[in-house]
Amino acid sequence: MIVTGATDLETATPALSETARAKVNLTLRVVGRRADGFHDLESVVAFADCVDRLTLTQGADLSLVAGGPRAQECGQTADNLILKAARLFSERVANLKAGAFALDKHLPVAAGIGGGSADAAAALRLLARVNGIAMGDPRLLETARLTGADVPVCVRSASCVMTGVGESLLPLDLPAMPAVLVNPRVPVATKEVFAALGLRKGELNVGVNDVIEAIVWPKAGAPMDDWLTMLSDGTNDLEAPAIRIQPVIGEVLARLRATGARLSRMSGSGATCFAIFSDEADAHHAAQTIRLDRPQWWVHVGMLGGGS
């Protein structure tokens, strides 16, 4: 359980609530590494229907309490991204109203699905609601960028192409796709995976033609088959280095592919992997098979994409 600062729950103001949806990288290309050490990315991002839940009860003191099945994985630190986002926001908004956050933690951490980033984004949406700040306010967007690379896309929490270091977002009209997410319950540090990729500062990871070629995505209302055809041509450049660090990721992918999935791939820097199926029945059957085989793994069956 995380408890940071004094809680201020004795107030007549009702708690506000937001869901923090898991982010899934359907593709992830590492274009190169900048001179400043940051990596330029290009990623098709969708959001799943598995969530954490965050509430905010207004009060004088900023605090955070975590509960739920994954609460212990959050650690005992005042540097949680929820609090980081709130503090950075308060530096940009005079007299920011905040209070006591309560996190119901269900998503695995250090898992490649942006759980901490989604929580921080939910905190920013709550603070924006409390303070009457628009979601497009430059102060909120700057806070999201400073909090973490995945926070801006999680603030929007809708399908898009994410480029740069996460700051450039192009909306996509992805259809709802039946999917299974699997995490083998091993944490993977993003920093270690990028280090294993081994790019030097200023080094490109793709050819010039790859960089300048513009992808034309299916139009709004296009069938899932059109999207899967294009997504199947993609890759996750972090998959191979992540498997070297945690070989069990390779086993997860092999099991997902053995279920007859239309597309399976690792998300983010791992260790969570996803598989997309033709219909919900196939997805549920695959999830049940994996749960029986590997009861210690985290398995979620649901939908990816399909709007915000």
Short mmCIF file of all heavy atoms in Angstrom, two decimals, residues 122-152:
data_model
loop_
_atom_site.label_atom_id
_atom_site.label_comp_id
_atom_site.label_asym_id
_atom_site.label_seq_id
_atom_site.Cartn_x
_atom_site.Cartn_y
_atom_site.Cartn_z
N ALA A 122 -4.83 9.50 -15.76
CA ALA A 122 -6.13 9.60 -15.09
C ALA A 122 -6.11 10.68 -14.03
O ALA A 122 -7.09 11.42 -13.84
CB ALA A 122 -6.51 8.25 -14.49
N ALA A 123 -4.98 10.80 -13.31
CA ALA A 123 -4.85 11.85 -12.30
C ALA A 123 -4.94 13.23 -12.94
O ALA A 123 -5.61 14.13 -12.40
CB ALA A 123 -3.52 11.70 -11.56
N LEU A 124 -4.30 13.40 -14.09
CA LEU A 124 -4.37 14.69 -14.77
C LEU A 124 -5.79 15.00 -15.25
O LEU A 124 -6.24 16.16 -15.19
CB LEU A 124 -3.39 14.72 -15.94
CG LEU A 124 -1.90 14.75 -15.56
CD1 LEU A 124 -1.03 14.67 -16.80
CD2 LEU A 124 -1.58 16.01 -14.76
N ARG A 125 -6.49 13.99 -15.73
CA ARG A 125 -7.88 14.23 -16.15
C ARG A 125 -8.74 14.62 -14.96
O ARG A 125 -9.61 15.50 -15.06
CB ARG A 125 -8.44 12.97 -16.84
CG ARG A 125 -7.80 12.68 -18.20
CD ARG A 125 -8.62 11.68 -19.02
NE ARG A 125 -8.76 10.40 -18.36
CZ ARG A 125 -7.91 9.37 -18.50
NH1 ARG A 125 -6.84 9.51 -19.29
NH2 ARG A 125 -8.11 8.22 -17.89
N LEU A 126 -8.53 13.97 -13.81
CA LEU A 126 -9.28 14.32 -12.60
C LEU A 126 -8.98 15.74 -12.16
O LEU A 126 -9.89 16.52 -11.83
CB LEU A 126 -8.96 13.34 -11.47
CG LEU A 126 -9.57 11.94 -11.60
CD1 LEU A 126 -8.95 10.99 -10.57
CD2 LEU A 126 -11.09 11.99 -11.41
N LEU A 127 -7.70 16.09 -12.14
CA LEU A 127 -7.32 17.44 -11.73
C LEU A 127 -7.86 18.48 -12.69
O LEU A 127 -8.26 19.59 -12.29
CB LEU A 127 -5.80 17.54 -11.61
CG LEU A 127 -5.17 16.74 -10.46
CD1 LEU A 127 -3.66 16.71 -10.58
CD2 LEU A 127 -5.60 17.30 -9.10
N ALA A 128 -7.88 18.16 -13.98
CA ALA A 128 -8.44 19.08 -14.96
C ALA A 128 -9.92 19.30 -14.70
O ALA A 128 -10.42 20.44 -14.77
CB ALA A 128 -8.20 18.55 -16.37
N ARG A 129 -10.64 18.22 -14.38
CA ARG A 129 -12.08 18.34 -14.09
C ARG A 129 -12.32 19.21 -12.86
O ARG A 129 -13.18 20.11 -12.87
CB ARG A 129 -12.69 16.95 -13.88
CG ARG A 129 -12.87 16.15 -15.16
CD ARG A 129 -13.16 14.69 -14.87
NE ARG A 129 -14.37 14.49 -14.09
CZ ARG A 129 -14.74 13.31 -13.57
NH1 ARG A 129 -13.96 12.25 -13.76
NH2 ARG A 129 -15.86 13.20 -12.91
N VAL A 130 -11.56 18.96 -11.81
CA VAL A 130 -11.73 19.69 -10.56
C VAL A 130 -11.45 21.18 -10.75
O VAL A 130 -12.10 22.04 -10.14
CB VAL A 130 -10.83 19.10 -9.46
CG1 VAL A 130 -10.75 20.02 -8.26
CG2 VAL A 130 -11.34 17.72 -9.04
N ASN A 131 -10.46 21.50 -11.60
CA ASN A 131 -10.03 22.88 -11.75
C ASN A 131 -10.60 23.57 -12.99
O ASN A 131 -10.22 24.71 -13.28
CB ASN A 131 -8.50 22.92 -11.80
CG ASN A 131 -7.88 22.59 -10.45
OD1 ASN A 131 -7.72 23.47 -9.61
ND2 ASN A 131 -7.54 21.32 -10.24
N GLY A 132 -11.49 22.90 -13.72
CA GLY A 132 -12.11 23.51 -14.88
C GLY A 132 -11.14 23.81 -15.99
O GLY A 132 -11.24 24.83 -16.69
N ILE A 133 -10.17 22.90 -16.19
CA ILE A 133 -9.13 23.08 -17.20
C ILE A 133 -9.42 22.17 -18.39
O ILE A 133 -9.70 20.99 -18.22
CB ILE A 133 -7.74 22.77 -16.60
CG1 ILE A 133 -7.42 23.80 -15.50
CG2 ILE A 133 -6.66 22.78 -17.68
CD1 ILE A 133 -6.16 23.48 -14.73
N ALA A 134 -9.32 22.72 -19.59
CA ALA A 134 -9.60 21.95 -20.80
C ALA A 134 -8.51 20.92 -21.03
O ALA A 134 -7.34 21.13 -20.68
CB ALA A 134 -9.70 22.87 -22.01
N MET A 135 -8.88 19.80 -21.66
CA MET A 135 -7.90 18.73 -21.89
C MET A 135 -6.81 19.16 -22.87
O MET A 135 -5.72 18.61 -22.85
CB MET A 135 -8.61 17.49 -22.43
CG MET A 135 -9.59 16.86 -21.44
SD MET A 135 -8.84 16.54 -19.82
CE MET A 135 -7.56 15.40 -20.27
N GLY A 136 -7.09 20.16 -23.70
CA GLY A 136 -6.08 20.64 -24.63
C GLY A 136 -5.25 21.80 -24.09
O GLY A 136 -4.45 22.37 -24.83
N ASP A 137 -5.41 22.12 -22.83
CA ASP A 137 -4.67 23.23 -22.23
C ASP A 137 -3.17 22.95 -22.30
O ASP A 137 -2.71 21.87 -21.93
CB ASP A 137 -5.09 23.39 -20.76
CG ASP A 137 -4.55 24.66 -20.14
OD1 ASP A 137 -3.31 24.76 -19.97
OD2 ASP A 137 -5.34 25.55 -19.79
N PRO A 138 -2.37 23.90 -22.79
CA PRO A 138 -0.92 23.68 -22.92
C PRO A 138 -0.25 23.29 -21.62
O PRO A 138 0.73 22.54 -21.63
CB PRO A 138 -0.41 25.03 -23.44
CG PRO A 138 -1.59 25.67 -24.10
CD PRO A 138 -2.78 25.22 -23.31
N ARG A 139 -0.76 23.77 -20.49
CA ARG A 139 -0.15 23.43 -19.20
C ARG A 139 -0.34 21.95 -18.88
O ARG A 139 0.56 21.30 -18.34
CB ARG A 139 -0.75 24.30 -18.09
CG ARG A 139 -0.48 25.79 -18.24
CD ARG A 139 -1.32 26.62 -17.30
NE ARG A 139 -2.75 26.47 -17.60
CZ ARG A 139 -3.73 27.04 -16.88
NH1 ARG A 139 -3.43 27.82 -15.84
NH2 ARG A 139 -5.00 26.86 -17.21
N LEU A 140 -1.50 21.42 -19.21
CA LEU A 140 -1.75 20.00 -18.99
C LEU A 140 -0.89 19.15 -19.93
O LEU A 140 -0.30 18.15 -19.51
CB LEU A 140 -3.24 19.69 -19.17
CG LEU A 140 -3.68 18.26 -18.82
CD1 LEU A 140 -5.13 18.28 -18.34
CD2 LEU A 140 -3.58 17.31 -20.00
N LEU A 141 -0.82 19.56 -21.20
CA LEU A 141 -0.04 18.79 -22.17
C LEU A 141 1.44 18.80 -21.81
O LEU A 141 2.13 17.77 -21.94
CB LEU A 141 -0.26 19.37 -23.57
CG LEU A 141 -1.71 19.33 -24.08
CD1 LEU A 141 -1.80 19.97 -25.46
CD2 LEU A 141 -2.24 17.91 -24.11
N GLU A 142 1.95 19.94 -21.35
CA GLU A 142 3.35 20.01 -20.94
C GLU A 142 3.60 19.12 -19.73
O GLU A 142 4.61 18.40 -19.65
CB GLU A 142 3.74 21.45 -20.61
CG GLU A 142 5.21 21.58 -20.20
CD GLU A 142 5.58 22.98 -19.76
OE1 GLU A 142 4.68 23.73 -19.32
OE2 GLU A 142 6.77 23.32 -19.84
N THR A 143 2.67 19.14 -18.78
CA THR A 143 2.80 18.28 -17.60
C THR A 143 2.84 16.81 -17.99
O THR A 143 3.65 16.05 -17.47
CB THR A 143 1.63 18.53 -16.63
OG1 THR A 143 1.65 19.89 -16.19
CG2 THR A 143 1.72 17.61 -15.42
N ALA A 144 1.97 16.42 -18.91
CA ALA A 144 1.94 15.03 -19.36
C ALA A 144 3.28 14.63 -19.96
O ALA A 144 3.82 13.56 -19.65
CB ALA A 144 0.82 14.83 -20.37
N ARG A 145 3.85 15.48 -20.82
CA ARG A 145 5.14 15.17 -21.45
C ARG A 145 6.26 15.03 -20.42
O ARG A 145 7.11 14.14 -20.52
CB ARG A 145 5.51 16.25 -22.47
CG ARG A 145 4.67 16.23 -23.74
CD ARG A 145 5.30 17.08 -24.82
NE ARG A 145 5.36 18.49 -24.44
CZ ARG A 145 4.41 19.38 -24.69
NH1 ARG A 145 3.30 19.00 -25.32
NH2 ARG A 145 4.55 20.63 -24.33
N LEU A 146 6.25 15.92 -19.42
CA LEU A 146 7.30 15.89 -18.41
C LEU A 146 7.16 14.72 -17.45
O LEU A 146 8.14 14.25 -16.87
CB LEU A 146 7.29 17.20 -17.61
CG LEU A 146 7.70 18.46 -18.39
CD1 LEU A 146 7.47 19.70 -17.55
CD2 LEU A 146 9.16 18.36 -18.81
N THR A 147 5.94 14.22 -17.29
CA THR A 147 5.70 13.10 -16.38
C THR A 147 6.26 11.80 -16.94
O THR A 147 6.83 10.99 -16.21
CB THR A 147 4.21 12.95 -16.07
OG1 THR A 147 3.70 14.18 -15.54
CG2 THR A 147 3.96 11.84 -15.06
N GLY A 148 6.10 11.58 -18.24
CA GLY A 148 6.59 10.34 -18.85
C GLY A 148 6.21 10.25 -20.31
O GLY A 148 5.21 10.84 -20.74
N ALA A 149 6.99 9.49 -21.09
CA ALA A 149 6.79 9.43 -22.53
C ALA A 149 5.42 8.89 -22.93
O ALA A 149 4.87 9.29 -23.96
CB ALA A 149 7.90 8.59 -23.17
N ASP A 150 4.86 7.96 -22.14
CA ASP A 150 3.57 7.36 -22.48
C ASP A 150 2.38 8.13 -21.90
O ASP A 150 1.23 7.78 -22.19
CB ASP A 150 3.50 5.92 -21.98
CG ASP A 150 4.21 4.94 -22.91
OD1 ASP A 150 4.39 5.28 -24.09
OD2 ASP A 150 4.58 3.85 -22.45
N VAL A 151 2.64 9.16 -21.10
CA VAL A 151 1.53 9.85 -20.44
C VAL A 151 0.67 10.64 -21.43
O VAL A 151 -0.56 10.60 -21.34
CB VAL A 151 2.03 10.72 -19.28
CG1 VAL A 151 0.86 11.47 -18.62
CG2 VAL A 151 2.74 9.85 -18.23
N PRO A 152 1.26 11.37 -22.41
CA PRO A 152 0.39 12.10 -23.34
C PRO A 152 -0.61 11.21 -24.07
O PRO A 152 -1.80 11.56 -24.18
CB PRO A 152 1.38 12.74 -24.32
CG PRO A 152 2.62 12.92 -23.51
CD PRO A 152 2.68 11.70 -22.63
#
